[in-house]
Amino acid sequence: MKFRNFKLVGYVVYGRGSFNQLDEIIAPHRKECKPMVFLVDHFFEGKPLVNRIPFRGNDKVIFVDVTYEPKTTYVDTLAQQLKEEFGTLSGVIGIGGGSAMDLAKAVSLMMNNTGSSADYQGWDLVKQPGVYKVGIPTLSGTGAEVSRTTVLTGPTKKLGMNSDFTPFDQIVLDPELTANAPANQRFYTGMDCYIHCIESLEGTFLNEFSKSYGEKALELCRDVFVKTDGWNEGCDDKLMMASYAGGMSIAYSQVGVAHAVSYGLSYLLGTKHGIGNCIVMNHLEEYYPAGVKEFKYMVEKNKIDIPTGICKGMSEEDFDKMIGVSMGMKPLWENALGKNWETIMTREKLRELYGRL
Ligand code: NAD
Ligand code: ZN
């Protein structure tokens, strides 16, 4: 048995208004004439948050387009542009949801690694540490703020740059930044966390470390989506910690069926991570009966629309590709169904499941 020895985030600050400490936090990491580059979710362009960014010297803000989930080509373009303009940087600061944070991690790594980010999609392929990087979530749920991966869609696969160099050096968890996120988006991303917990807690890789974080994260998700009527500040506080703890839980276990199936959707149809997981979870009674029942209750209580019929009209060839992508997520299936997962989840069974989505 080889135990996972994983790298954690360097520094964590948590609290309402902690964003105001950013200037002081990053100051010791500034190098002469080398800017801090803020990769900010395009949603915030023209919004008051931008005026609170602590610009100094030749710092730069780039509003990143997160209409589509991050692609290796986008990461490469950003890194190339920054190398040409500045040589190197003092650091990269990602402000936004999982997409903007993943872009920041990947761009930081590509400032110090050669070639294309697509060369590093996989496990432990990154050769050099990136430049100093900071993650500041404005949506809660993905756990991207704590994970050792950055999920990218490349020319041949959708896979993260998983490495010990990937976690942020610093994260700023300020629940005020998630206020006013649209209810549907907040739910989809929040459910990413809920689903991380169910998949981790119901998985075969579970140990006491993952369980401790997973149970706490699940309790916080329930407080927010089951026990609270309406939305209040406390919900933002709780969901931000749920995301963190959910991410810590899967760090030592793995996700499961919902993620394995939703990866196929996202690769073929471009379905986004949070909503894709919800679309799949809606049909997983066989694997997570209690979790799916509660999920459906939360959907109803929070008056959320989960799309259906998204695979209608797809060709058999496309179904085949989707099944291939999903079946390729071996560790996820093994966590969910055990070592003999291939005898349980056959291509036919997966075809039938995709047909229902
Ligand atoms: P997102 O980052 O894709 O953003 C979704 C939408 O919400 C965007 O339109 C964005 O502009 C908007 N938005 C962000 N913050 C907002 C706010 N405060 N108010 C209003 N709108 C806001 O969504 P997400 O669910 O946070 O992230 C999904 C991404 O994270 C995917 O690319 C997925 O692959 C990745 N992910 C990464 C990890 C990891 O460990 N690295 C884990 C899970 C998911
Ligand atoms: Zn997820």
Side-chain angles (χ1 to χ4, degrees):
M1 172 91 182
K2 188 151 192 289
F3 296 96
R4 204 172 288 174
N5 181 14
F6 60 87
K7 172 80 173 59
L8 294 174
V9 161
Y11 285 83
V12 182
V13 58
Y14 171 85
R16 295 194 152 263
S18 57
F19 185 79
N20 295 333
Q21 264 166 251
L22 188 58
D23 194 20
E24 181 189 319
I25 289 170
I26 62 179
H29 301 276
R30 289 186 177 280
K31 298 188 183 110
E32 216 179 326
C33 299
K34 301 295 173 199
M36 286 287 178
V37 171
F38 298 86
L39 298 186
V40 181
D41 189 311
H42 62 175
F43 168 80
F44 292 101
E45 191 160 10
K47 302 267 172 19
L49 182 66
V50 180
N51 303 324
R52 297 173 56 203
I53 294 176
F55 295 113
R56 306 258 163 189
N58 56 348
D59 283 1
K60 185 180 176 92
V61 63
I62 299 176
F63 292 103
V64 287
D65 186 347
V66 296
T67 313
Y68 303 102
E69 295 193 342
K71 292 188 171 62
T72 53
T73 46
Y74 191 30
V75 170
D76 294 349
T77 306
L78 287 169
Q80 192 53 40
Q81 179 193 329
L82 292 169
K83 280 180 193 170
E84 278 165 19
E85 194 172 347
F86 301 109
T88 186
L89 310 175
S90 288
V92 175
I93 297 162
I95 305 178
S99 297
M101 287 193 284
D102 275 1
L103 279 170
K105 289 192 209 181
V107 169
S108 152
L109 293 172
M110 291 316 294
M111 291 307 293
N112 290 345
N113 285 277
T114 54
S116 162
S117 50
D119 304 337
Y120 305 103
Q121 286 182 282
W123 280 270
D124 303 304
L125 302 174
V126 182
K127 307 232 165 18
Q128 301 293 333
V131 298
Y132 175 70
K133 53 182 162 340
V134 181
I136 309 182
T138 65
L139 275 177
S140 295
T142 64
E145 64 279 18
V146 287
S147 75
R148 80 190 284 281
T149 189
T150 159
V151 185
L152 302 176
T153 305
T156 58
K157 53 195 165 203
K158 180 169 181 186
L159 188 61
M161 296 165 81
N162 292 264
S163 82
D164 282 351
F165 300 127
T166 310
F168 284 114
D169 297 297
Q170 168 83 54
I171 56 176
V172 177
L173 304 179
D174 182 346
E176 266 176 18
L177 305 185
T178 64
N180 310 321
N184 267 340
Q185 184 62 57
R186 192 167 59 196
F187 185 85
Y188 300 143
T189 304
M191 281 304 111
D192 190 19
C193 176
Y194 178 83
I195 294 167
H196 289 159
C197 296
I198 300 295
E199 291 178 321
S200 171
L201 293 169
E202 301 287 322
T204 62
F205 294 179
L206 188 67
N207 62 19
E208 221 37 71
F209 184 102
S210 304
K211 198 172 160 199
S212 314
Y213 283 105
E215 286 178 347
K216 186 65 199 178
L218 194 59
E219 181 191 315
L220 291 166
C221 288
R222 285 183 177 139
D223 279 354
V224 170
F225 293 112
V226 178
K227 297 188 183 153
T228 307
D229 290 316
W231 194 265
N232 57 47
E233 278 191 357
C235 296
D236 285 314
D237 296 356
K238 284 179 179 167
L239 200 54
M240 192 158 267
M241 283 319 297
S243 177
Y244 179 91
M248 289 295 288
S249 179
I250 47 176
Y252 224 132
S253 57
Q254 190 40 281
V255 287
V257 181
H259 277 74
V261 177
S262 106
Y263 264 100
L265 292 180
S266 113
Y267 194 76
L268 259 278
L269 302 174
T271 316
K272 295 192 93 182
H273 188 79
I275 196 168
N277 285 343
C278 288
I279 291 169
V280 178
M281 190 67 174
N282 226 359
H283 295 272
L284 295 185
E285 287 89 348
E286 187 180 340
Y287 307 96
Y288 306 116
V292 173
K293 190 170 171 215
E294 187 168 56
F295 169 77
K296 290 189 169 174
Y297 176 76
M298 292 186 287
V299 169
E300 204 181 295
K301 180 173 186 332
N302 294 277
K303 302 189 178 66
I304 303 296
D305 310 309
I306 306 289
T308 53
I310 62 160
C311 292
K312 271 209 183 97
M314 276 178 66
S315 67
E316 278 312 311
E317 200 183 323
D318 279 349
F319 274 113
D320 256 6
K321 273 192 213 147
M322 218 154 55
I323 293 166
V325 171
S326 179
M327 292 292 235
M329 312 302 293
K330 292 188 168 61
L332 284 64
W333 289 112
E334 189 181 330
N335 175 45
L337 306 172
K339 282 214 178 323
N340 297 325
W341 65 270
E342 277 162 303
T343 60
I344 306 170
M345 183 46 84
T346 57
R347 290 186 79 89
E348 294 69 42
K349 197 146 190 214
L350 200 46
R351 170 66 184 82
E352 187 272 327
L353 176 56
Y354 274 126
R356 274 191 283 140
L357 299 182

